[in-house]
Amino acid sequence: MANSFYDQIYEAVRRIPPGNVASYGQIARLLGKPRAARSVGWALHNLPEGSDVPWHRVINAQGIISLDAHGFGGAVQRTMLEDEGIVFDQYGRVDMELYGWPGLDLAERDQILNLPRSA
DNA sequence: ATAATGACTGGGG
DNA sequence: ACCCCAGCCATTA
């Protein structure tokens, strides 16, 4: 349906630039509904095919790709993100500090990548 | 209007 | 760090 909360979600997701990721809760917060993360997940789950919404850039707050009951799609999503330059650690997780939207500028990102592990 | 659903989240053990 | 549990919320049946 047009003009529904879902449409607001889709618009917000469309604003996520390539190479960046956002969490469901983050999108919900942007729309003024900090507790509507589950609804965001539902909205993306019901996303029609051929949509221009970059749904793959939305993952959970822990930097992990959420999967539906079907269980499939995760590998596809991960591949799409990797194509945008996002790197997953050995546990299949993304560094939200590094790739989280609105994202850091290249200088900041580079600085973080060069930060000493533990001083 | 009530009950169920789900690609979430944060806190606790 | 991992697993489990109880709130939260818009949409649908």
Side-chain angles (χ1 to χ4, degrees):
Chain A
M1 306 183 252
N3 301 324
S4 65
F5 180 58
Y6 282 15
D7 290 303
Q8 293 180 48
I9 291 173
Y10 299 148
E11 283 191 36
V13 173
R14 267 190 276 261
R15 288 168 40 191
I16 305 174
N20 273 200
V21 295
S23 73
Y24 301 93
Q26 183 179 358
I27 297 301
R29 244 169 338 207
L30 279 176
L31 302 178
K33 310 278 184 181
R35 308 301 176 199
R38 306 191 70 154
S39 298
V40 173
W42 184 290
L44 295 182
H45 167 260
N46 290 318
L47 202 56
E49 282 185 51
S51 169
D52 60 330
V53 177
W55 55 273
H56 60 284
R57 297 187 191 132
V58 184
I59 59 182
N60 66 35
Q62 302 181 18
I64 302 175
I65 294 176
S66 293
L67 300 175
D68 56 13
H70 197 215
F72 290 86
V76 176
Q77 182 170 4
R78 172 169 176 160
T79 298
M80 293 176 83
L81 291 175
E82 291 180 322
D83 283 345
E84 297 185 349
I86 292 178
V87 178
F88 289 74
D89 64 18
Q90 64 175 310
Y91 301 107
R93 283 198 308 220
V94 172
D95 185 335
M96 294 303 274
E97 294 292 320
L98 194 58
Y99 301 105
W101 186 43
L104 311 163
D105 55 47
L106 297 183
E108 287 180 298
R109 180 176 293 183
D110 190 57
Q111 185 178 336
I112 288 182
L113 288 174
N114 289 322
L115 282 178
R117 291 277 163 198
S118 52

